[in-house]
mmCIF file of all heavy atoms in Angstrom:
data_model
loop_
_atom_site.group_PDB
_atom_site.id
_atom_site.type_symbol
_atom_site.label_atom_id
_atom_site.label_comp_id
_atom_site.label_asym_id
_atom_site.label_seq_id
_atom_site.Cartn_x
_atom_site.Cartn_y
_atom_site.Cartn_z
ATOM 1 N N GLN A 2 -4.512 27.377 -10.183
ATOM 2 C CA GLN A 2 -3.064 27.491 -10.313
ATOM 3 C C GLN A 2 -2.307 26.747 -9.212
ATOM 4 O O GLN A 2 -1.079 26.817 -9.167
ATOM 5 C CB GLN A 2 -2.672 28.983 -10.282
ATOM 6 C CG GLN A 2 -3.340 29.832 -11.360
ATOM 7 C CD GLN A 2 -2.943 29.399 -12.759
ATOM 8 O OE1 GLN A 2 -1.784 29.083 -13.014
ATOM 9 N NE2 GLN A 2 -3.910 29.375 -13.663
ATOM 10 N N GLU A 3 -2.984 26.037 -8.334
ATOM 11 C CA GLU A 3 -2.330 25.476 -7.156
ATOM 12 C C GLU A 3 -2.089 23.972 -7.229
ATOM 13 O O GLU A 3 -1.837 23.333 -6.205
ATOM 14 C CB GLU A 3 -3.148 25.809 -5.898
ATOM 15 C CG GLU A 3 -3.427 27.280 -5.709
ATOM 16 C CD GLU A 3 -2.152 28.127 -5.647
ATOM 17 O OE1 GLU A 3 -1.086 27.576 -5.342
ATOM 18 O OE2 GLU A 3 -2.237 29.329 -5.891
ATOM 19 N N TRP A 4 -2.148 23.384 -8.423
ATOM 20 C CA TRP A 4 -1.886 21.950 -8.527
ATOM 21 C C TRP A 4 -0.505 21.571 -8.004
ATOM 22 O O TRP A 4 -0.353 20.512 -7.375
ATOM 23 C CB TRP A 4 -2.088 21.468 -9.962
ATOM 24 C CG TRP A 4 -3.517 21.121 -10.255
ATOM 25 C CD1 TRP A 4 -4.387 21.817 -11.035
ATOM 26 C CD2 TRP A 4 -4.254 20.010 -9.732
ATOM 27 N NE1 TRP A 4 -5.623 21.213 -11.037
ATOM 28 C CE2 TRP A 4 -5.566 20.098 -10.246
ATOM 29 C CE3 TRP A 4 -3.943 18.955 -8.874
ATOM 30 C CZ2 TRP A 4 -6.555 19.166 -9.934
ATOM 31 C CZ3 TRP A 4 -4.922 18.018 -8.558
ATOM 32 C CH2 TRP A 4 -6.202 18.129 -9.090
ATOM 33 N N PRO A 5 0.534 22.379 -8.252
ATOM 34 C CA PRO A 5 1.834 22.028 -7.658
ATOM 35 C C PRO A 5 1.783 21.898 -6.140
ATOM 36 O O PRO A 5 2.436 21.017 -5.564
ATOM 37 C CB PRO A 5 2.739 23.192 -8.090
ATOM 38 C CG PRO A 5 2.125 23.674 -9.359
ATOM 39 C CD PRO A 5 0.643 23.553 -9.145
ATOM 40 N N LEU A 6 0.986 22.761 -5.463
ATOM 41 C CA LEU A 6 0.869 22.677 -4.006
ATOM 42 C C LEU A 6 0.104 21.427 -3.581
ATOM 43 O O LEU A 6 0.428 20.808 -2.564
ATOM 44 C CB LEU A 6 0.166 23.914 -3.461
ATOM 45 C CG LEU A 6 1.021 25.181 -3.368
ATOM 46 C CD1 LEU A 6 0.184 26.340 -2.849
ATOM 47 C CD2 LEU A 6 2.224 24.956 -2.459
ATOM 48 N N ILE A 7 -0.904 21.051 -4.345
ATOM 49 C CA ILE A 7 -1.657 19.830 -4.048
ATOM 50 C C ILE A 7 -0.728 18.628 -4.143
ATOM 51 O O ILE A 7 -0.680 17.774 -3.251
ATOM 52 C CB ILE A 7 -2.851 19.670 -5.012
ATOM 53 C CG1 ILE A 7 -3.859 20.793 -4.786
ATOM 54 C CG2 ILE A 7 -3.510 18.306 -4.838
ATOM 55 C CD1 ILE A 7 -5.009 20.797 -5.786
ATOM 56 N N VAL A 8 0.028 18.556 -5.240
ATOM 57 C CA VAL A 8 0.958 17.442 -5.447
ATOM 58 C C VAL A 8 2.047 17.456 -4.388
ATOM 59 O O VAL A 8 2.376 16.418 -3.785
ATOM 60 C CB VAL A 8 1.578 17.522 -6.854
ATOM 61 C CG1 VAL A 8 2.665 16.453 -7.022
ATOM 62 C CG2 VAL A 8 0.506 17.350 -7.920
ATOM 63 N N PHE A 9 2.601 18.633 -4.120
ATOM 64 C CA PHE A 9 3.688 18.760 -3.136
ATOM 65 C C PHE A 9 3.250 18.308 -1.752
ATOM 66 O O PHE A 9 3.886 17.458 -1.122
ATOM 67 C CB PHE A 9 4.169 20.213 -3.103
ATOM 68 C CG PHE A 9 4.928 20.584 -1.859
ATOM 69 C CD1 PHE A 9 6.117 19.945 -1.536
ATOM 70 C CD2 PHE A 9 4.448 21.567 -1.000
ATOM 71 C CE1 PHE A 9 6.825 20.282 -0.382
ATOM 72 C CE2 PHE A 9 5.145 21.913 0.148
ATOM 73 C CZ PHE A 9 6.328 21.259 0.455
ATOM 74 N N THR A 10 2.147 18.867 -1.249
ATOM 75 C CA THR A 10 1.728 18.562 0.117
ATOM 76 C C THR A 10 1.358 17.086 0.269
ATOM 77 O O THR A 10 1.741 16.443 1.251
ATOM 78 C CB THR A 10 0.549 19.448 0.542
ATOM 79 O OG1 THR A 10 -0.528 19.320 -0.400
ATOM 80 C CG2 THR A 10 0.975 20.910 0.630
ATOM 81 N N LEU A 11 0.634 16.539 -0.689
ATOM 82 C CA LEU A 11 0.216 15.138 -0.569
ATOM 83 C C LEU A 11 1.395 14.178 -0.685
ATOM 84 O O LEU A 11 1.455 13.171 0.038
ATOM 85 C CB LEU A 11 -0.843 14.812 -1.621
ATOM 86 C CG LEU A 11 -2.252 15.354 -1.346
ATOM 87 C CD1 LEU A 11 -3.191 15.017 -2.489
ATOM 88 C CD2 LEU A 11 -2.807 14.800 -0.031
ATOM 89 N N LEU A 12 2.332 14.466 -1.574
ATOM 90 C CA LEU A 12 3.486 13.577 -1.720
ATOM 91 C C LEU A 12 4.377 13.613 -0.481
ATOM 92 O O LEU A 12 4.869 12.579 -0.024
ATOM 93 C CB LEU A 12 4.291 13.945 -2.965
ATOM 94 C CG LEU A 12 3.709 13.483 -4.298
ATOM 95 C CD1 LEU A 12 4.596 13.952 -5.459
ATOM 96 C CD2 LEU A 12 3.560 11.962 -4.359
ATOM 97 N N ILE A 13 4.596 14.808 0.067
ATOM 98 C CA ILE A 13 5.397 14.901 1.293
ATOM 99 C C ILE A 13 4.696 14.183 2.433
ATOM 100 O O ILE A 13 5.328 13.453 3.223
ATOM 101 C CB ILE A 13 5.656 16.374 1.662
ATOM 102 C CG1 ILE A 13 6.606 17.029 0.639
ATOM 103 C CG2 ILE A 13 6.251 16.480 3.064
ATOM 104 C CD1 ILE A 13 8.019 16.467 0.651
ATOM 105 N N GLN A 14 3.386 14.363 2.543
ATOM 106 C CA GLN A 14 2.648 13.702 3.620
ATOM 107 C C GLN A 14 2.630 12.188 3.436
ATOM 108 O O GLN A 14 2.740 11.436 4.417
ATOM 109 C CB GLN A 14 1.235 14.280 3.696
ATOM 110 C CG GLN A 14 1.224 15.690 4.277
ATOM 111 C CD GLN A 14 0.045 16.531 3.863
ATOM 112 O OE1 GLN A 14 -1.020 16.012 3.518
ATOM 113 N NE2 GLN A 14 0.222 17.848 3.877
ATOM 114 N N LEU A 15 2.500 11.731 2.194
ATOM 115 C CA LEU A 15 2.604 10.291 1.918
ATOM 116 C C LEU A 15 3.975 9.776 2.327
ATOM 117 O O LEU A 15 4.094 8.710 2.959
ATOM 118 C CB LEU A 15 2.369 10.030 0.428
ATOM 119 C CG LEU A 15 2.736 8.636 -0.101
ATOM 120 C CD1 LEU A 15 1.875 7.570 0.562
ATOM 121 C CD2 LEU A 15 2.592 8.573 -1.610
ATOM 122 N N SER A 16 5.012 10.528 1.993
ATOM 123 C CA SER A 16 6.377 10.126 2.312
ATOM 124 C C SER A 16 6.588 10.040 3.817
ATOM 125 O O SER A 16 7.087 9.035 4.338
ATOM 126 C CB SER A 16 7.370 11.123 1.704
ATOM 127 O OG SER A 16 8.696 10.828 2.091
ATOM 128 N N VAL A 17 6.184 11.086 4.537
ATOM 129 C CA VAL A 17 6.376 11.103 5.990
ATOM 130 C C VAL A 17 5.550 9.996 6.651
ATOM 131 O O VAL A 17 6.038 9.280 7.540
ATOM 132 C CB VAL A 17 5.991 12.475 6.576
ATOM 133 C CG1 VAL A 17 6.014 12.434 8.106
ATOM 134 C CG2 VAL A 17 6.947 13.549 6.067
ATOM 135 N N GLY A 18 4.310 9.844 6.223
ATOM 136 C CA GLY A 18 3.465 8.799 6.791
ATOM 137 C C GLY A 18 4.048 7.416 6.581
ATOM 138 O O GLY A 18 4.064 6.582 7.496
ATOM 139 N N SER A 19 4.551 7.154 5.386
ATOM 140 C CA SER A 19 5.168 5.863 5.096
ATOM 141 C C SER A 19 6.402 5.633 5.959
ATOM 142 O O SER A 19 6.618 4.530 6.488
ATOM 143 C CB SER A 19 5.544 5.793 3.610
ATOM 144 O OG SER A 19 6.161 4.561 3.301
ATOM 145 N N THR A 20 7.209 6.672 6.135
ATOM 146 C CA THR A 20 8.412 6.561 6.967
ATOM 147 C C THR A 20 8.056 6.280 8.423
ATOM 148 O O THR A 20 8.678 5.438 9.083
ATOM 149 C CB THR A 20 9.245 7.856 6.876
ATOM 150 O OG1 THR A 20 9.631 8.078 5.513
ATOM 151 C CG2 THR A 20 10.501 7.756 7.730
ATOM 152 N N VAL A 21 7.049 6.977 8.931
ATOM 153 C CA VAL A 21 6.629 6.786 10.324
ATOM 154 C C VAL A 21 6.143 5.350 10.551
ATOM 155 O O VAL A 21 6.524 4.703 11.542
ATOM 156 C CB VAL A 21 5.518 7.792 10.698
ATOM 157 C CG1 VAL A 21 4.864 7.413 12.029
ATOM 158 C CG2 VAL A 21 6.093 9.199 10.777
ATOM 159 N N PHE A 22 5.327 4.838 9.649
ATOM 160 C CA PHE A 22 4.802 3.483 9.824
ATOM 161 C C PHE A 22 5.879 2.427 9.602
ATOM 162 O O PHE A 22 5.854 1.368 10.249
ATOM 163 C CB PHE A 22 3.614 3.250 8.894
ATOM 164 C CG PHE A 22 2.318 3.752 9.460
ATOM 165 C CD1 PHE A 22 1.887 5.035 9.180
ATOM 166 C CD2 PHE A 22 1.537 2.950 10.283
ATOM 167 C CE1 PHE A 22 0.698 5.513 9.710
ATOM 168 C CE2 PHE A 22 0.347 3.415 10.816
ATOM 169 C CZ PHE A 22 -0.076 4.701 10.540
ATOM 170 N N THR A 23 6.822 2.685 8.712
ATOM 171 C CA THR A 23 7.941 1.757 8.539
ATOM 172 C C THR A 23 8.781 1.701 9.806
ATOM 173 O O THR A 23 9.192 0.624 10.256
ATOM 174 C CB THR A 23 8.820 2.186 7.350
ATOM 175 O OG1 THR A 23 8.027 2.199 6.154
ATOM 176 C CG2 THR A 23 9.984 1.220 7.154
ATOM 177 N N THR A 24 9.021 2.873 10.393
ATOM 178 C CA THR A 24 9.775 2.935 11.649
ATOM 179 C C THR A 24 9.052 2.176 12.750
ATOM 180 O O THR A 24 9.665 1.402 13.500
ATOM 181 C CB THR A 24 9.982 4.398 12.077
ATOM 182 O OG1 THR A 24 10.632 5.119 11.023
ATOM 183 C CG2 THR A 24 10.837 4.481 13.330
ATOM 184 N N PHE A 25 7.748 2.397 12.845
ATOM 185 C CA PHE A 25 6.971 1.683 13.863
ATOM 186 C C PHE A 25 7.083 0.173 13.669
ATOM 187 O O PHE A 25 7.257 -0.577 14.642
ATOM 188 C CB PHE A 25 5.506 2.089 13.802
ATOM 189 C CG PHE A 25 4.600 1.142 14.547
ATOM 190 C CD1 PHE A 25 4.517 1.194 15.929
ATOM 191 C CD2 PHE A 25 3.863 0.174 13.866
ATOM 192 C CE1 PHE A 25 3.712 0.300 16.626
ATOM 193 C CE2 PHE A 25 3.064 -0.722 14.554
ATOM 194 C CZ PHE A 25 2.983 -0.653 15.939
ATOM 195 N N THR A 26 6.978 -0.275 12.431
ATOM 196 C CA THR A 26 7.050 -1.715 12.152
ATOM 197 C C THR A 26 8.366 -2.296 12.638
ATOM 198 O O THR A 26 8.400 -3.360 13.273
ATOM 199 C CB THR A 26 6.890 -1.982 10.645
ATOM 200 O OG1 THR A 26 5.611 -1.487 10.207
ATOM 201 C CG2 THR A 26 6.986 -3.465 10.340
ATOM 202 N N LEU A 27 9.466 -1.596 12.357
ATOM 203 C CA LEU A 27 10.777 -2.098 12.764
ATOM 204 C C LEU A 27 10.947 -2.079 14.275
ATOM 205 O O LEU A 27 11.502 -3.011 14.862
ATOM 206 C CB LEU A 27 11.878 -1.265 12.104
ATOM 207 C CG LEU A 27 11.979 -1.362 10.580
ATOM 208 C CD1 LEU A 27 13.176 -0.563 10.086
ATOM 209 C CD2 LEU A 27 12.079 -2.802 10.112
ATOM 210 N N VAL A 28 10.478 -1.010 14.921
ATOM 211 C CA VAL A 28 10.613 -0.912 16.374
ATOM 212 C C VAL A 28 9.718 -1.943 17.062
ATOM 213 O O VAL A 28 10.132 -2.625 18.008
ATOM 214 C CB VAL A 28 10.261 0.507 16.855
ATOM 215 C CG1 VAL A 28 10.214 0.568 18.379
ATOM 216 C CG2 VAL A 28 11.287 1.507 16.326
ATOM 217 N N TYR A 29 8.500 -2.079 16.587
ATOM 218 C CA TYR A 29 7.547 -3.014 17.195
ATOM 219 C C TYR A 29 8.020 -4.461 17.075
ATOM 220 O O TYR A 29 7.867 -5.254 18.010
ATOM 221 C CB TYR A 29 6.187 -2.863 16.520
ATOM 222 C CG TYR A 29 5.132 -3.808 17.048
ATOM 223 C CD1 TYR A 29 4.447 -3.522 18.231
ATOM 224 C CD2 TYR A 29 4.819 -4.982 16.369
ATOM 225 C CE1 TYR A 29 3.478 -4.387 18.726
ATOM 226 C CE2 TYR A 29 3.861 -5.848 16.852
ATOM 227 C CZ TYR A 29 3.186 -5.546 18.025
ATOM 228 O OH TYR A 29 2.241 -6.409 18.508
ATOM 229 N N ALA A 30 8.598 -4.783 15.924
ATOM 230 C CA ALA A 30 9.019 -6.160 15.673
ATOM 231 C C ALA A 30 10.525 -6.348 15.847
ATOM 232 O O ALA A 30 11.101 -7.299 15.327
ATOM 233 C CB ALA A 30 8.599 -6.580 14.262
#
Side-chain angles (χ1 to χ4, degrees):
Q2 303 297 319
E3 305 303 338
W4 274 108
L6 283 178
I7 295 174
V8 174
F9 161 62
T10 55
L11 285 177
L12 283 178
I13 291 293
Q14 287 155 25
L15 167 63
S16 175
V17 172
S19 179
T20 300
V21 168
F22 276 92
T23 300
T24 304
F25 164 78
T26 300
L27 294 184
V28 172
Y29 179 81

